Amino acid sequence: MAIQVLVEPRRLGLPIEAKLLLHVAPDHLAAAGRALADHPSVHGAFATSGPSNLHAAAYFPDLAALYGSLSHDLVDLGITHVESAIVSHAAKRTPAPVQPLLSR
C-alpha cells in the first residue's frame, strides 16, 4: 500500500516557487547537486545536459529568502551562471490521486 500526501506549499508559509537553472563546472557538478538536494528549500534537484547542467525547484517564504539563497547559499559550489524563474501559476502539479480498488 502506498500513501501520497499532497500539501499546498502556500499553506505552509512558502508562497514563492522558483525554478533554478544553473551552469556548474563539471568537476563541481556532483557536489553542487548534493548541496542543493540537502538544502531545506529545495524539493527537487537533477543534472541535465545543455547550457544549464543542474536544475533545482524550491519553495521560499518570500523574495528576500530567494535572494538570500541565490546570493549566499550557492557560493563556493562551482556555479558559473544561474537563472531563476518564479512560478506564478502552475497548471498541473501531479496526477490526481489513485482511488483504491475495493475488493469484492
Side-chain angles (χ1 to χ4, degrees):
M1 174 166 81
I3 297 175
Q4 180 182 20
V5 177
L6 302 176
V7 177
E8 174 59 43
R10 292 177 200 285
R11 290 181 163 250
L12 300 175
L14 301 168
I16 305 297
E17 180 179 3
K19 304 300 183 194
L20 307 176
L21 293 83
L22 308 110
H23 182 270
V24 183
D27 57 332
H28 288 88
L29 186 59
R34 281 192 299 275
L36 281 171
D38 290 341
H39 193 283
S41 295
V42 174
H43 62 89
F46 47 94
T48 65
S49 61
S52 301
N53 57 358
L54 186 60
H55 289 200
Y59 293 115
F60 298 95
D62 52 39
L63 292 174
L66 169 58
Y67 178 78
S69 183
L70 292 174
S71 60
H72 300 292
D73 298 345
L74 301 182
V75 176
D76 297 328
L77 295 179
I79 298 168
T80 59
H81 181 82
V82 62
E83 292 181 44
S84 61
I86 295 175
V87 177
S88 62
H89 174 75
K92 181 177 181 180
R93 291 218 179 270
T94 186
V98 177
Q99 298 298 322
L101 296 175
L102 301 176
S103 59
R104 295 179 184 216

